[in-house]
mmCIF file of all heavy atoms in Angstrom:
data_model
loop_
_atom_site.group_PDB
_atom_site.id
_atom_site.type_symbol
_atom_site.label_atom_id
_atom_site.label_comp_id
_atom_site.label_asym_id
_atom_site.label_seq_id
_atom_site.Cartn_x
_atom_site.Cartn_y
_atom_site.Cartn_z
ATOM 1 N N GLN V 42 48.558 -78.189 -26.616
ATOM 2 C CA GLN V 42 47.759 -77.744 -27.750
ATOM 3 C C GLN V 42 46.937 -76.523 -27.376
ATOM 4 O O GLN V 42 46.713 -75.651 -28.200
ATOM 5 C CB GLN V 42 46.858 -78.866 -28.260
ATOM 6 C CG GLN V 42 47.634 -79.956 -28.946
ATOM 7 C CD GLN V 42 46.737 -81.117 -29.342
ATOM 8 O OE1 GLN V 42 45.604 -81.216 -28.901
ATOM 9 N NE2 GLN V 42 47.276 -81.999 -30.162
ATOM 10 N N VAL V 43 46.471 -76.446 -26.135
ATOM 11 C CA VAL V 43 45.723 -75.277 -25.679
ATOM 12 C C VAL V 43 46.624 -74.055 -25.759
ATOM 13 O O VAL V 43 46.213 -72.993 -26.199
ATOM 14 C CB VAL V 43 45.198 -75.497 -24.238
ATOM 15 C CG1 VAL V 43 44.660 -74.205 -23.656
ATOM 16 C CG2 VAL V 43 44.126 -76.565 -24.223
ATOM 17 N N THR V 44 47.875 -74.191 -25.366
ATOM 18 C CA THR V 44 48.817 -73.084 -25.436
ATOM 19 C C THR V 44 49.023 -72.663 -26.881
ATOM 20 O O THR V 44 49.088 -71.480 -27.186
ATOM 21 C CB THR V 44 50.163 -73.497 -24.807
ATOM 22 O OG1 THR V 44 49.920 -73.915 -23.465
ATOM 23 C CG2 THR V 44 51.153 -72.352 -24.806
ATOM 24 N N ASP V 45 49.128 -73.626 -27.811
ATOM 25 C CA ASP V 45 49.287 -73.302 -29.223
ATOM 26 C C ASP V 45 48.095 -72.515 -29.732
ATOM 27 O O ASP V 45 48.250 -71.563 -30.484
ATOM 28 C CB ASP V 45 49.461 -74.573 -30.068
ATOM 29 C CG ASP V 45 50.815 -75.226 -29.848
ATOM 30 O OD1 ASP V 45 51.708 -74.550 -29.289
ATOM 31 O OD2 ASP V 45 50.966 -76.396 -30.232
ATOM 32 N N ARG V 46 46.883 -72.917 -29.332
ATOM 33 C CA ARG V 46 45.692 -72.194 -29.778
ATOM 34 C C ARG V 46 45.688 -70.780 -29.215
ATOM 35 O O ARG V 46 45.352 -69.828 -29.900
ATOM 36 C CB ARG V 46 44.429 -72.948 -29.378
ATOM 37 C CG ARG V 46 44.163 -74.168 -30.213
ATOM 38 C CD ARG V 46 42.805 -74.738 -29.915
ATOM 39 N NE ARG V 46 42.716 -75.308 -28.590
ATOM 40 C CZ ARG V 46 42.849 -76.597 -28.311
ATOM 41 N NH1 ARG V 46 43.065 -77.460 -29.251
ATOM 42 N NH2 ARG V 46 42.751 -77.033 -27.084
ATOM 43 N N ALA V 47 46.085 -70.637 -27.965
ATOM 44 C CA ALA V 47 46.102 -69.313 -27.352
ATOM 45 C C ALA V 47 47.131 -68.423 -28.027
ATOM 46 O O ALA V 47 46.871 -67.248 -28.292
ATOM 47 C CB ALA V 47 46.391 -69.423 -25.859
ATOM 48 N N SER V 48 48.300 -68.960 -28.344
ATOM 49 C CA SER V 48 49.306 -68.143 -29.004
ATOM 50 C C SER V 48 48.877 -67.797 -30.422
ATOM 51 O O SER V 48 49.253 -66.761 -30.947
ATOM 52 C CB SER V 48 50.669 -68.843 -29.002
ATOM 53 O OG SER V 48 50.610 -70.022 -29.775
ATOM 54 N N ALA V 49 48.095 -68.666 -31.071
ATOM 55 C CA ALA V 49 47.599 -68.369 -32.411
ATOM 56 C C ALA V 49 46.658 -67.173 -32.366
ATOM 57 O O ALA V 49 46.681 -66.317 -33.245
ATOM 58 C CB ALA V 49 46.880 -69.577 -33.009
ATOM 59 N N VAL V 50 45.838 -67.097 -31.341
ATOM 60 C CA VAL V 50 44.932 -65.956 -31.197
ATOM 61 C C VAL V 50 45.744 -64.694 -30.927
ATOM 62 O O VAL V 50 45.472 -63.634 -31.481
ATOM 63 C CB VAL V 50 43.906 -66.206 -30.070
ATOM 64 C CG1 VAL V 50 43.134 -64.950 -29.747
ATOM 65 C CG2 VAL V 50 42.968 -67.325 -30.458
ATOM 66 N N ASP V 51 46.792 -64.804 -30.080
ATOM 67 C CA ASP V 51 47.626 -63.640 -29.798
ATOM 68 C C ASP V 51 48.348 -63.153 -31.050
ATOM 69 O O ASP V 51 48.582 -61.968 -31.217
ATOM 70 C CB ASP V 51 48.668 -63.969 -28.718
ATOM 71 C CG ASP V 51 48.036 -64.146 -27.350
ATOM 72 O OD1 ASP V 51 46.892 -63.657 -27.163
ATOM 73 O OD2 ASP V 51 48.653 -64.780 -26.482
ATOM 74 N N ALA V 52 48.712 -64.081 -31.942
ATOM 75 C CA ALA V 52 49.455 -63.715 -33.150
ATOM 76 C C ALA V 52 48.559 -63.121 -34.227
ATOM 77 O O ALA V 52 49.046 -62.517 -35.164
ATOM 78 C CB ALA V 52 50.169 -64.940 -33.711
ATOM 79 N N ALA V 53 47.238 -63.297 -34.101
ATOM 80 C CA ALA V 53 46.318 -62.786 -35.122
ATOM 81 C C ALA V 53 46.355 -61.261 -35.137
ATOM 82 O O ALA V 53 46.580 -60.629 -34.111
ATOM 83 C CB ALA V 53 44.896 -63.255 -34.837
ATOM 84 N N PRO V 54 46.133 -60.673 -36.298
ATOM 85 C CA PRO V 54 46.094 -59.210 -36.364
ATOM 86 C C PRO V 54 45.006 -58.672 -35.436
ATOM 87 O O PRO V 54 43.967 -59.297 -35.255
ATOM 88 C CB PRO V 54 45.746 -58.931 -37.828
ATOM 89 C CG PRO V 54 46.126 -60.156 -38.561
ATOM 90 C CD PRO V 54 45.941 -61.290 -37.595
ATOM 91 N N LYS V 55 45.267 -57.538 -34.850
ATOM 92 C CA LYS V 55 44.329 -56.954 -33.903
ATOM 93 C C LYS V 55 43.141 -56.339 -34.637
ATOM 94 O O LYS V 55 43.270 -55.796 -35.717
ATOM 95 C CB LYS V 55 45.015 -55.885 -33.057
ATOM 96 C CG LYS V 55 46.211 -56.421 -32.305
ATOM 97 C CD LYS V 55 45.831 -57.563 -31.397
ATOM 98 C CE LYS V 55 47.033 -58.093 -30.660
ATOM 99 N NZ LYS V 55 46.985 -59.472 -30.373
ATOM 100 N N THR V 56 41.969 -56.442 -34.024
ATOM 101 C CA THR V 56 40.755 -55.905 -34.629
ATOM 102 C C THR V 56 40.659 -54.405 -34.397
ATOM 103 O O THR V 56 41.447 -53.828 -33.661
ATOM 104 C CB THR V 56 39.509 -56.587 -34.029
ATOM 105 O OG1 THR V 56 39.477 -56.280 -32.642
ATOM 106 C CG2 THR V 56 39.552 -58.079 -34.235
ATOM 107 N N SER V 57 39.676 -53.809 -35.009
ATOM 108 C CA SER V 57 39.529 -52.363 -34.898
ATOM 109 C C SER V 57 39.259 -51.925 -33.466
ATOM 110 O O SER V 57 39.477 -50.782 -33.118
ATOM 111 C CB SER V 57 38.411 -51.876 -35.820
ATOM 112 O OG SER V 57 37.187 -52.428 -35.418
ATOM 113 N N ALA V 58 38.806 -52.850 -32.625
ATOM 114 C CA ALA V 58 38.516 -52.494 -31.239
ATOM 115 C C ALA V 58 39.781 -52.100 -30.484
ATOM 116 O O ALA V 58 39.707 -51.388 -29.489
ATOM 117 C CB ALA V 58 37.829 -53.663 -30.527
ATOM 118 N N VAL V 59 40.947 -52.556 -30.931
ATOM 119 C CA VAL V 59 42.178 -52.235 -30.230
ATOM 120 C C VAL V 59 43.080 -51.307 -31.029
ATOM 121 O O VAL V 59 44.247 -51.164 -30.724
ATOM 122 C CB VAL V 59 42.955 -53.523 -29.869
ATOM 123 C CG1 VAL V 59 42.189 -54.348 -28.894
ATOM 124 C CG2 VAL V 59 43.308 -54.316 -31.100
ATOM 125 N N GLN V 60 42.545 -50.685 -32.064
ATOM 126 C CA GLN V 60 43.342 -49.737 -32.829
ATOM 127 C C GLN V 60 43.609 -48.495 -32.002
ATOM 128 O O GLN V 60 43.009 -48.256 -30.960
ATOM 129 C CB GLN V 60 42.641 -49.367 -34.136
ATOM 130 C CG GLN V 60 42.656 -50.500 -35.132
ATOM 131 C CD GLN V 60 42.010 -50.086 -36.441
ATOM 132 O OE1 GLN V 60 41.781 -48.930 -36.684
ATOM 133 N NE2 GLN V 60 41.729 -51.056 -37.274
ATOM 134 N N ASP V 61 44.486 -47.666 -32.497
ATOM 135 C CA ASP V 61 44.911 -46.453 -31.819
ATOM 136 C C ASP V 61 43.713 -45.623 -31.370
ATOM 137 O O ASP V 61 42.751 -45.463 -32.100
ATOM 138 C CB ASP V 61 45.774 -45.657 -32.799
ATOM 139 C CG ASP V 61 46.452 -44.488 -32.138
ATOM 140 O OD1 ASP V 61 46.396 -44.372 -30.897
ATOM 141 O OD2 ASP V 61 47.042 -43.692 -32.862
ATOM 142 N N GLY V 62 43.793 -45.063 -30.182
ATOM 143 C CA GLY V 62 42.700 -44.269 -29.635
ATOM 144 C C GLY V 62 42.360 -43.062 -30.486
ATOM 145 O O GLY V 62 41.235 -42.571 -30.449
ATOM 146 N N LYS V 63 43.324 -42.555 -31.258
ATOM 147 C CA LYS V 63 43.051 -41.419 -32.139
ATOM 148 C C LYS V 63 42.002 -41.773 -33.179
ATOM 149 O O LYS V 63 41.209 -40.941 -33.573
ATOM 150 C CB LYS V 63 44.336 -40.970 -32.833
ATOM 151 C CG LYS V 63 45.343 -40.356 -31.914
ATOM 152 C CD LYS V 63 46.538 -39.893 -32.721
ATOM 153 C CE LYS V 63 47.776 -40.521 -32.110
ATOM 154 N NZ LYS V 63 48.955 -40.326 -32.923
ATOM 155 N N GLN V 64 42.005 -43.035 -33.634
ATOM 156 C CA GLN V 64 41.018 -43.474 -34.626
ATOM 157 C C GLN V 64 39.609 -43.334 -34.056
ATOM 158 O O GLN V 64 38.690 -42.919 -34.735
ATOM 159 C CB GLN V 64 41.275 -44.925 -35.037
ATOM 160 C CG GLN V 64 42.560 -45.142 -35.783
ATOM 161 C CD GLN V 64 42.464 -44.653 -37.210
ATOM 162 O OE1 GLN V 64 41.384 -44.400 -37.730
ATOM 163 N NE2 GLN V 64 43.603 -44.491 -37.837
ATOM 164 N N ALA V 65 39.428 -43.738 -32.799
ATOM 165 C CA ALA V 65 38.099 -43.701 -32.191
ATOM 166 C C ALA V 65 37.628 -42.270 -31.971
ATOM 167 O O ALA V 65 36.427 -42.014 -31.902
ATOM 168 C CB ALA V 65 38.117 -44.461 -30.869
ATOM 169 N N ALA V 66 38.567 -41.346 -31.857
ATOM 170 C CA ALA V 66 38.205 -39.965 -31.572
ATOM 171 C C ALA V 66 37.771 -39.198 -32.815
ATOM 172 O O ALA V 66 37.321 -38.068 -32.714
ATOM 173 C CB ALA V 66 39.383 -39.264 -30.910
ATOM 174 N N LYS V 67 37.904 -39.791 -33.998
ATOM 175 C CA LYS V 67 37.518 -39.102 -35.228
ATOM 176 C C LYS V 67 36.025 -38.765 -35.206
ATOM 177 O O LYS V 67 35.209 -39.575 -34.784
ATOM 178 C CB LYS V 67 37.805 -39.978 -36.455
ATOM 179 C CG LYS V 67 39.258 -40.112 -36.776
ATOM 180 C CD LYS V 67 39.404 -40.952 -38.030
ATOM 181 C CE LYS V 67 40.838 -41.191 -38.378
ATOM 182 N NZ LYS V 67 40.982 -42.064 -39.536
ATOM 183 N N GLN V 68 35.701 -37.598 -35.695
ATOM 184 C CA GLN V 68 34.304 -37.210 -35.796
ATOM 185 C C GLN V 68 33.695 -37.856 -37.037
ATOM 186 O O GLN V 68 34.322 -37.925 -38.085
ATOM 187 C CB GLN V 68 34.187 -35.693 -35.884
ATOM 188 C CG GLN V 68 34.661 -34.972 -34.630
ATOM 189 C CD GLN V 68 33.796 -35.322 -33.439
ATOM 190 O OE1 GLN V 68 32.588 -35.500 -33.556
ATOM 191 N NE2 GLN V 68 34.421 -35.421 -32.281
ATOM 192 N N SER V 69 32.454 -38.329 -36.937
ATOM 193 C CA SER V 69 31.831 -39.045 -38.036
ATOM 194 C C SER V 69 31.370 -38.120 -39.160
ATOM 195 O O SER V 69 31.363 -38.517 -40.309
ATOM 196 C CB SER V 69 30.649 -39.866 -37.528
ATOM 197 O OG SER V 69 29.583 -39.011 -37.164
ATOM 198 N N GLY V 70 30.972 -36.914 -38.862
ATOM 199 C CA GLY V 70 30.499 -36.003 -39.901
ATOM 200 C C GLY V 70 29.290 -36.567 -40.639
ATOM 201 O O GLY V 70 29.100 -36.286 -41.812
ATOM 202 N N GLY V 71 28.475 -37.384 -39.991
ATOM 203 C CA GLY V 71 27.298 -37.983 -40.610
ATOM 204 C C GLY V 71 27.599 -39.202 -41.454
ATOM 205 O O GLY V 71 26.709 -39.752 -42.104
ATOM 206 N N LEU V 72 28.845 -39.656 -41.472
ATOM 207 C CA LEU V 72 29.212 -40.838 -42.252
ATOM 208 C C LEU V 72 28.935 -42.116 -41.467
ATOM 209 O O LEU V 72 29.094 -42.144 -40.248
ATOM 210 C CB LEU V 72 30.709 -40.792 -42.610
ATOM 211 C CG LEU V 72 31.158 -39.674 -43.535
ATOM 212 C CD1 LEU V 72 32.676 -39.671 -43.653
ATOM 213 C CD2 LEU V 72 30.516 -39.830 -44.901
ATOM 214 N N PRO V 73 28.531 -43.182 -42.164
ATOM 215 C CA PRO V 73 28.353 -44.454 -41.474
ATOM 216 C C PRO V 73 29.713 -45.049 -41.105
ATOM 217 O O PRO V 73 30.715 -44.796 -41.772
ATOM 218 C CB PRO V 73 27.636 -45.339 -42.493
ATOM 219 C CG PRO V 73 27.721 -44.635 -43.794
ATOM 220 C CD PRO V 73 28.161 -43.238 -43.559
ATOM 221 N N GLY V 74 29.724 -45.837 -40.058
ATOM 222 C CA GLY V 74 30.951 -46.494 -39.620
ATOM 223 C C GLY V 74 30.858 -47.997 -39.825
ATOM 224 O O GLY V 74 29.942 -48.502 -40.474
ATOM 225 N N VAL V 75 31.820 -48.706 -39.268
ATOM 226 C CA VAL V 75 31.855 -50.167 -39.330
ATOM 227 C C VAL V 75 31.922 -50.689 -37.903
ATOM 228 O O VAL V 75 32.788 -50.291 -37.125
ATOM 229 C CB VAL V 75 33.086 -50.657 -40.136
ATOM 230 C CG1 VAL V 75 33.169 -52.170 -40.101
ATOM 231 C CG2 VAL V 75 33.014 -50.158 -41.561
ATOM 232 N N ARG V 76 30.984 -51.569 -37.578
ATOM 233 C CA ARG V 76 30.981 -52.216 -36.260
ATOM 234 C C ARG V 76 31.723 -53.541 -36.406
ATOM 235 O O ARG V 76 31.293 -54.401 -37.155
ATOM 236 C CB ARG V 76 29.555 -52.439 -35.784
ATOM 237 C CG ARG V 76 28.834 -51.144 -35.515
ATOM 238 C CD ARG V 76 27.386 -51.333 -35.221
ATOM 239 N NE ARG V 76 27.145 -52.537 -34.430
ATOM 240 C CZ ARG V 76 26.037 -52.790 -33.779
ATOM 241 N NH1 ARG V 76 25.061 -51.951 -33.822
ATOM 242 N NH2 ARG V 76 25.882 -53.899 -33.105
ATOM 243 N N ASP V 77 32.826 -53.694 -35.703
ATOM 244 C CA ASP V 77 33.626 -54.904 -35.806
ATOM 245 C C ASP V 77 32.813 -56.095 -35.312
ATOM 246 O O ASP V 77 32.375 -56.130 -34.168
ATOM 247 C CB ASP V 77 34.917 -54.764 -35.002
ATOM 248 C CG ASP V 77 35.956 -55.790 -35.408
ATOM 249 O OD1 ASP V 77 36.008 -56.131 -36.598
ATOM 250 O OD2 ASP V 77 36.704 -56.246 -34.538
ATOM 251 N N CYS V 78 32.588 -57.056 -36.199
ATOM 252 C CA CYS V 78 31.789 -58.258 -35.923
ATOM 253 C C CYS V 78 30.370 -57.913 -35.478
ATOM 254 O O CYS V 78 29.722 -58.686 -34.771
ATOM 255 C CB CYS V 78 32.472 -59.153 -34.902
ATOM 256 S SG CYS V 78 34.008 -59.875 -35.526
#
Side-chain angles (χ1 to χ4, degrees):
Q42 289 175 347
V43 169
T44 303
D45 289 344
R46 285 189 292 262
S48 65
V50 170
D51 290 340
K55 302 302 180 212
T56 63
S57 63
V59 295
Q60 288 183 13
D61 189 9
K63 292 183 234 171
Q64 294 285 345
K67 288 182 183 177
Q68 295 296 324
S69 71
L72 295 173
V75 176
R76 294 172 38 164
D77 198 34
C78 293

